[in-house]
């Protein structure tokens, strides 16, 4: 396994729309393993392939307390979302240190392939529903800060660019 580099907002590659995975093969399984290792190392609960500059429809999630219940979604599709909505504070490994409220569906149903290429469908609510919607946005080239006001988004962009410049100087 290998740690992958997580792209940071406002990297333009984060706006790339991911293409479907043609087949869940050893290459995709290695990507999944590397993404899980990267997510756990970064203390995240979800990671989309887009965030590691691989533009394929792959998502890994683990919201368990012990970090031992990984959920793999290949070519995920939301087949239903509840009309009920709720606002939750969200953060993102591509926008470290930034958290803000985003309104999303309270419950979703998603269909996807697992790491063996088997089709599965699951219904999610709470944190898992938020995480699925957040990671699937990445596959569409959307970062959660795009739900915020232009003023907040510009402040975050400025902060992230300054942090990158400061890091590059060191």
């Amino acid at each position: 396994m290998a740690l992958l580099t997580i792209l940071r907002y406002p990297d333009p590659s984060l706006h790339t729309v991911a293409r479907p995975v043609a087949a869940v093969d050893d290459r995709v399984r290695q990507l999944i393993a590397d993404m899980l290792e990267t997510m756990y190392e970064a203390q995240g609960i979800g990671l989309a392939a887009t965030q590691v500059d691989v533009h394929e429809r792959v998502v890994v999630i683990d919201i368990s307390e012990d970090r031992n219940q990984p959920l793999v979604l290949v070519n995920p599709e939301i087949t239903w979302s509840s009309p009920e909505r709720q606002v939750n504070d969200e953060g993102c490994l591509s926008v470290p240190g930034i958290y803000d409220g985003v309104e999303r569906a309270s419950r979703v149903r998603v269909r996807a392939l697992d790491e063996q290429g088997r089709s599965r469908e699951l219904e999610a609510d709470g944190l898992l529903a938020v995480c699925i919607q957040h990671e699937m946005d990445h596959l569409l080239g959307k970062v959660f800060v795009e739900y915020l006001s232009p003023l907040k988004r510009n402040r975050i962009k400025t902060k992230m660019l300054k942090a990158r410049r400061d890091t590059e100087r060191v």
Side-chain angles (χ1 to χ4, degrees):
M1 294 197 291
L3 287 177
L4 305 171
T5 301
I6 299 172
L7 299 176
R8 299 286 172 95
Y9 180 80
D11 190 309
S13 293
L14 288 168
H15 299 294
T16 304
V17 175
R19 66 187 176 281
V21 171
V24 180
D25 55 16
D26 287 342
R27 179 192 64 82
V28 173
R29 280 188 280 279
Q30 184 61 57
L31 172 63
I32 291 165
D34 293 345
M35 286 175 61
L36 283 166
E37 182 180 2
T38 301
M39 178 188 72
Y40 289 134
E41 179 69 23
Q43 306 292 305
I45 61 170
L47 187 67
T50 302
Q51 293 176 269
V52 294
D53 213 12
V54 176
H55 303 288
E56 294 182 84
R57 295 184 58 78
V58 178
V59 165
V60 297
I61 295 172
D62 190 341
I63 61 168
S64 69
E65 197 70 33
D66 294 329
R67 318 293 283 138
N68 62 358
Q69 295 175 32
L71 173 64
V72 174
L73 303 173
V74 177
N75 295 336
E77 295 177 62
I78 292 178
T79 59
W80 173 83
S81 20
S82 68
E84 300 88 25
R85 318 245 334 139
Q86 61 187 49
V87 175
N88 294 289
D89 258 4
E90 291 187 27
C92 181
L93 294 176
S94 291
V95 195
I98 304 294
Y99 299 88
D100 212 318
V102 176
E103 182 179 295
R104 297 195 186 270
S106 299
R107 294 188 328 270
V108 294
R109 187 174 306 123
V110 64
R111 180 178 38 240
L113 301 176
D114 67 13
E115 62 275 12
Q116 301 305 318
R118 295 177 299 233
S119 183
R120 65 178 304 173
E121 192 166 10
L122 68 112
E123 196 162 312
D125 60 7
L127 181 58
L128 183 57
V130 170
C131 198
I132 287 170
Q133 292 171 85
H134 176 109
E135 299 309 331
M136 287 184 64
D137 273 354
H138 280 297
L139 301 179
L140 299 172
K142 190 167 187 176
V143 181
F144 90 97
V145 298
E146 293 171 50
Y147 288 99
L148 308 179
S149 71
L151 177 64
K152 280 186 176 181
R153 196 167 46 249
N154 285 332
R155 284 184 178 159
I156 291 167
K157 185 176 184 177
T158 300
K159 183 176 181 174
M160 296 301 295
L161 289 170
K162 181 183 181 315
R164 184 167 64 199
R165 281 192 307 272
D166 292 348
T167 303
E168 289 169 356
R169 282 192 208 125
V170 174

